[in-house]
Amino acid sequence: MKFGILVNEGPYNHQAVDSAYQFAKAAIAKGHTVSRVFFYYDGVHNANKLLEAPQDERQIGKLWAEMAKEHGVDLVVCVAAGLRRGLKEETLAEGFRISGLGQLIEVGIQADRMMTFGD
Amino acid sequence: MKFGILVNEGPYNHQAVDSAYQFAKAAIAKGHTVSRVFFYYDGVHNANKLLEAPQDERQIGKLWAEMAKEHGVDLVVCVAAGLRRGLKEETLAEGFRISGLGQLIEVGIQADRMMTFGD
Amino acid sequence: MLHTVNKSPFERNALASCLAHATDGAAILLIEDAVYGATKGTSVAAKVEAAAAKCKVFVLGPDLAARGMSEDKLIDGITVVDYEGFVDLTVEHSVVQAWL
Amino acid sequence: MLHTVNKSPFERNALASCLAHATDGAAILLIEDAVYGATKGTSVAAKVEAAAAKCKVFVLGPDLAARGMSEDKLIDGITVVDYEGFVDLTVEHSVVQAWL
Amino acid sequence: MSEVMDLPGDDEEYASGVVKKFMFVNRKAPHGSIYALEVLEMVLISAAFDQDVHLAFIDDGMYQIVKGQDPTGINQKNFSKTFRALDGYDIEKLYVEREGMEERGLTEDDFLVDVEVISQAEMAELMNGMDVVLSA
Amino acid sequence: MSEVMDLPGDDEEYASGVVKKFMFVNRKAPHGSIYALEVLEMVLISAAFDQDVHLAFIDDGMYQIVKGQDPTGINQKNFSKTFRALDGYDIEKLYVEREGMEERGLTEDDFLVDVEVISQAEMAELMNGMDVVLSA
């Protein structure tokens, strides 16, 4: 089954991000496909390459990027939401790409299930 | 009267930031002093120099920086909260400085009134 | 004590918790989405009316206007202030507690 | 329909609104801070018990454990699932609605 | 809100012919947080995909379409006017829940756009019939 | 939580001798959002300033000090143990509100630290006596 996931919040501040990641990981482990994770609202901060949580904590940005690399998950950051919040190409972490909101609607059409995680 | 202000949220996502700014502006207009604004939690994103809201919208980062310049307001971003969220010296806007949480307690001790704006 | 509340009373428990902790004579200022709690005819109006009888309840005018809540819809006894009035309230009360 | 709820029922209206919109036979999964709503002896337990009688109510185990809510405190009729069980629920139900 | 009208990059994809029932569920008040505004940007983009779009206004979400909003005093934009433009994008299925209106002391006259007022039970049934439900 | 123990830069300032009554009001549950953790970092820093520190646990905030928290399954740290270390920093005034405990079906045995259980009316009076109230 193909999943699309919408992430509404930034890393660390809300567990929504972690829930989305754990869900995606479990879906992949069960043989499903996560076609795209779309980062909207404060969710754009997940793609900031400067994230540097204490070493003994989970490294959320890296976890997403590894998932993208290993399982071909398309990590898309909303361009307009990113501009408003200062997330642009110069601070974009590897594994993420910036694109328009249409990418969210598109995955909503194409995926078998659309999940939302937010505050 | 001397005010200290704690800002808990990032720009645009929550009105808390705007309320804090409008409050500070009104306090200064009435002849009071805003000694320090401390940005904690997602509030650190206020200090991101890459913020670029649509031109017809308020430019929150610039508004803070102008207030700092014109009225000597000390804009302090929490270093630990900033690291977790990817706000570091390389993306710090002019007018802000990064320091420790002690700066918040300190202004709480020194100011006549301590205000909190958050979600 | 000045209490500030910024959350809609229909969405969160911030206003209810504030009202439960505001002692007689305290001041309560409703800002941002909390201004919806200042209007008549809602399911929370009776609680706010009761609070207005023992505390001084204020509402931030610019936040009311932003949300299209006209002042003639306000619960009796609630006073509208602007940002400068907000500052004055913080001067009059030595401690400010934010209910977020 | 699978409904997910992630907010504490004491802080926000998300669970109440979800329960009001969940039709007979729907599935409801409590995650994150919503897991507090799955425990016995709280002021919202009666509502959740009533929901568990007409809907299938699930709670995410890792979120329960994180918060120190032991499974023996759960309201009768609520089923604990892990993240893989969460995925299975989304497969079994064609639409998922998040109450945030 | 010019930036919201940028078309997505992949023209072939959204000309796929698949039409799903999308519902955007609005439960949050405007201005206090950005969700209302950014959901509206989502709704506008969805128009380019020729989907069967539904907007539900429940809980505090119905405050988004209240008449007479003037956020100049809080330095924000009055995006509520954009709801009036939705029918130009063939987005005309707007539903408000009666129970929520009563809780808030609102009547149909308070809204700036034509909406269909339905009961909570009807709203629940409507939600059940959707293919994709997005909320914020 | 090593980074929270970094001392602030300006030693002379906080040796000013002024002692204020600070209250940190905890109203939010742990793990679902970061507020509980970052307020605790604030509390620890405040210890360096020799202030009269009070912690209030009301509403969902009291879930922060519930025993038996194990967030390994959600990939988070168990910072609740840090509450046990507070008395080492002379932070010993922890208050929990009885009404909130009853609403949540909690008893004093459920907490991992010694707290003073007080009524809502007593909590309100305590708040009234503070100089600085910080909340998140």
Side-chain angles (χ1 to χ4, degrees):
Chain A
M1 194 156 265
K2 285 201 296 187
F3 286 92
I5 296 179
L6 169 61
V7 175
N8 292 357
E9 299 297 331
Y12 304 105
N13 217 79
H14 293 92
Q15 196 196 340
V17 176
D18 300 281
S19 298
Y21 173 78
Q22 298 284 357
F23 178 88
K25 196 174 132 186
I28 292 167
K30 291 189 75 84
H32 300 295
T33 302
V34 176
S35 311
R36 181 174 292 159
V37 182
F38 192 85
F39 297 90
Y40 195 40
Y41 313 99
D42 272 0
V44 300
H45 294 303
N46 283 277
N48 186 336
K49 71 176 175 191
L50 300 175
L51 293 179
E52 188 181 325
Q55 288 197 343
D56 58 343
E57 289 192 32
R58 65 210 188 280
Q59 305 297 321
I60 295 179
K62 289 202 178 68
L63 290 172
W64 283 122
E66 281 164 20
M67 178 179 284
K69 198 172 176 188
E70 287 170 29
H71 304 285
V73 179
D74 187 19
L75 305 179
V76 182
V77 180
C78 175
V79 58
L83 283 172
R84 242 193 209 108
R85 293 167 178 84
L87 194 287
K88 302 179 185 172
E89 291 291 348
E90 49 256 65
T91 46
L92 189 74
E94 216 175 314
F96 294 83
R97 66 185 178 93
I98 294 176
S99 188
L101 256 180
Q103 300 281 305
L104 169 63
I105 306 299
E106 187 187 79
V107 74
I109 296 169
Q110 293 173 348
D112 299 304
R113 298 288 184 273
M114 189 70 215
M115 304 291 301
T116 304
F117 293 91
D119 177 51
Chain B
M1 196 156 266
K2 285 201 296 188
F3 286 92
I5 297 179
L6 169 61
V7 175
N8 292 357
E9 299 297 331
Y12 304 105
N13 218 78
H14 293 91
Q15 196 195 340
V17 177
D18 300 282
S19 298
Y21 173 78
Q22 298 284 357
F23 178 88
K25 197 174 133 185
I28 291 166
K30 291 189 76 86
H32 300 295
T33 302
V34 176
S35 311
R36 182 174 293 159
V37 182
F38 191 85
F39 297 91
Y40 195 40
Y41 314 98
D42 272 0
V44 301
H45 295 302
N46 283 276
N48 185 336
K49 71 177 175 191
L50 299 175
L51 293 179
E52 188 181 324
Q55 289 198 341
D56 57 345
E57 288 192 32
R58 64 209 187 282
Q59 305 298 321
I60 294 179
K62 289 202 179 67
L63 290 172
W64 283 122
E66 282 164 19
M67 179 180 283
K69 198 173 177 186
E70 287 170 28
H71 303 285
V73 179
D74 187 20
L75 305 179
V76 182
V77 180
C78 175
V79 58
L83 282 172
R84 242 192 209 107
R85 292 166 179 86
L87 195 287
K88 301 180 185 173
E89 291 292 346
E90 49 257 65
T91 45
L92 189 73
E94 216 176 312
F96 294 83
R97 66 186 180 93
I98 294 176
S99 189
L101 255 179
Q103 300 281 306
L104 169 65
I105 306 299
E106 188 188 79
V107 73
I109 296 169
Q110 294 174 348
D112 299 303
R113 298 287 183 274
M114 190 69 215
M115 305 290 301
T116 304
F117 293 91
D119 176 50
Chain C
M1 171 84 88
L2 170 67
H3 300 273
T4 62
V5 186
N6 74 337
K7 289 298 173 305
S8 162
F10 306 107
E11 190 202 11
R12 303 214 206 178
N13 69 340
L15 178 60
S17 194
C18 171
L19 296 182
H21 292 91
T23 50
D24 288 2
I28 299 168
L29 172 63
L30 307 177
I31 68 171
E32 301 176 18
D33 289 345
V35 303
Y36 293 119
T39 56
K40 279 182 201 161
T42 77
S43 61
V44 301
K47 270 194 158 181
V48 179
E49 278 161 24
K54 65 169 202 140
C55 299
K56 290 160 286 180
V57 182
F58 301 87
V59 62
L60 197 61
D63 276 325
L64 268 182
R67 289 159 181 79
M69 300 288 113
S70 67
E71 296 189 13
D72 56 9
K73 276 190 183 174
L74 288 185
I75 287 167
D76 294 337
I78 295 187
T79 307
V80 180
V81 296
D82 57 13
Y83 286 105
E84 300 212 344
F86 182 178
V87 172
D88 291 339
L89 284 171
T90 67
V91 172
E92 289 158 24
H93 299 270
S94 62
V95 185
V96 186
Q97 179 167 1
W99 297 82
L100 306 172
Chain D
M1 171 85 86
L2 170 67
H3 300 274
T4 64
V5 185
N6 72 338
K7 289 297 173 304
S8 162
F10 306 108
E11 190 203 10
R12 305 215 204 176
N13 70 339
L15 179 60
S17 194
C18 171
L19 297 183
H21 292 90
T23 50
D24 287 3
I28 299 169
L29 172 63
L30 307 177
I31 68 170
E32 302 176 19
D33 290 344
V35 301
Y36 293 117
T39 56
K40 279 182 201 161
T42 77
S43 61
V44 301
K47 270 194 159 182
V48 178
E49 279 162 24
K54 64 168 204 139
C55 299
K56 289 160 286 180
V57 181
F58 301 88
V59 63
L60 197 62
D63 276 325
L64 268 181
R67 288 159 182 80
M69 299 288 113
S70 67
E71 296 190 13
D72 56 10
K73 276 190 182 175
L74 288 185
I75 288 168
D76 293 336
I78 296 188
T79 307
V80 180
V81 296
D82 57 12
Y83 287 105
E84 300 211 344
F86 182 0
V87 173
D88 290 339
L89 284 172
T90 66
V91 172
E92 289 159 23
H93 298 270
S94 62
V95 185
V96 187
Q97 178 166 2
W99 295 83
L100 306 172
Chain E
M1 298 182 60
S2 57
E3 84 282 4
V4 306
M5 297 314 303
D6 295 344
L7 289 176
D10 200 345
D11 281 61
E12 302 88 63
E13 288 294 337
Y14 63 88
S16 64
V18 177
V19 178
K20 283 191 174 181
K21 290 186 180 178
F22 271 75
M23 177 177 272
F24 297 92
V25 178
N26 292 289
R27 292 185 56 244
K28 294 193 180 164
H31 312 302
S33 58
I34 204 172
Y35 302 103
L37 170 63
E38 292 193 331
V39 167
L40 186 54
E41 299 196 349
M42 230 191 250
V43 170
L44 288 167
I45 288 289
S46 76
F49 289 81
D50 294 322
Q51 300 298 298
D52 185 11
V53 174
H54 304 68
L55 270 67
F57 297 91
I58 64 175
D59 297 328
D60 282 346
M62 59 188 70
Y63 282 130
Q64 296 176 23
I65 50 168
V66 160
K67 276 180 195 164
Q69 297 178 48
D70 178 13
T72 51
I74 60 168
N75 211 5
Q76 288 194 34
K77 282 190 351 178
N78 186 5
F79 65 91
S80 71
K81 287 184 278 187
T82 307
F83 286 105
R84 285 220 186 92
L86 288 180
D87 62 353
Y89 296 90
D90 292 323
I91 295 171
E92 291 167 330
K93 295 177 180 172
L94 280 65
Y95 304 89
V96 181
E97 192 171 286
R98 184 173 299 116
E99 284 80 351
M101 291 169 60
E102 287 164 4
E103 197 184 351
R104 288 164 186 77
L106 296 172
T107 66
E108 219 171 320
D109 286 343
D110 290 317
F111 300 131
L112 53 74
V113 274
D114 284 337
V115 295
E116 193 172 333
V117 177
I118 61 178
S119 71
Q120 195 164 62
E122 290 167 326
M123 184 66 83
E125 281 309 323
L126 189 66
M127 287 169 169
N128 274 340
M130 294 294 125
D131 297 312
V132 178
V133 178
L134 290 167
S135 41
Chain F
M1 297 181 63
S2 56
E3 82 282 5
V4 305
M5 297 316 301
D6 294 343
L7 289 176
D10 200 344
D11 280 60
E12 302 88 62
E13 288 294 337
Y14 65 86
S16 64
V18 176
V19 178
K20 283 191 174 180
K21 291 185 179 179
F22 270 75
M23 177 177 272
F24 297 91
V25 179
N26 292 289
R27 293 185 55 244
K28 295 191 181 166
H31 311 301
S33 58
I34 203 170
Y35 301 104
L37 170 62
E38 292 194 330
V39 167
L40 185 54
E41 299 196 349
M42 229 192 252
V43 170
L44 288 167
I45 288 288
S46 76
F49 289 82
D50 294 322
Q51 301 297 299
D52 184 12
V53 174
H54 304 68
L55 271 68
F57 297 91
I58 63 174
D59 298 328
D60 283 346
M62 59 189 70
Y63 283 130
Q64 296 176 22
I65 51 169
V66 161
K67 275 180 196 163
Q69 297 179 48
D70 177 12
T72 50
I74 59 168
N75 211 4
Q76 289 193 34
K77 283 193 346 182
N78 186 5
F79 65 91
S80 71
K81 288 184 278 186
T82 307
F83 286 106
R84 285 221 186 92
L86 288 181
D87 62 352
Y89 296 91
D90 292 323
I91 295 171
E92 292 167 329
K93 296 177 180 172
L94 281 64
Y95 304 89
V96 180
E97 192 171 286
R98 185 173 298 117
E99 284 81 350
M101 291 168 60
E102 288 164 3
E103 196 184 352
R104 287 164 187 77
L106 297 172
T107 67
E108 218 170 321
D109 286 341
D110 290 317
F111 300 130
L112 52 76
V113 275
D114 284 337
V115 295
E116 193 172 335
V117 176
I118 60 178
S119 71
Q120 194 165 62
E122 289 166 328
M123 184 65 84
E125 280 309 322
L126 189 67
M127 288 170 169
N128 274 341
M130 295 293 127
D131 297 313
V132 177
V133 178
L134 290 167
S135 41

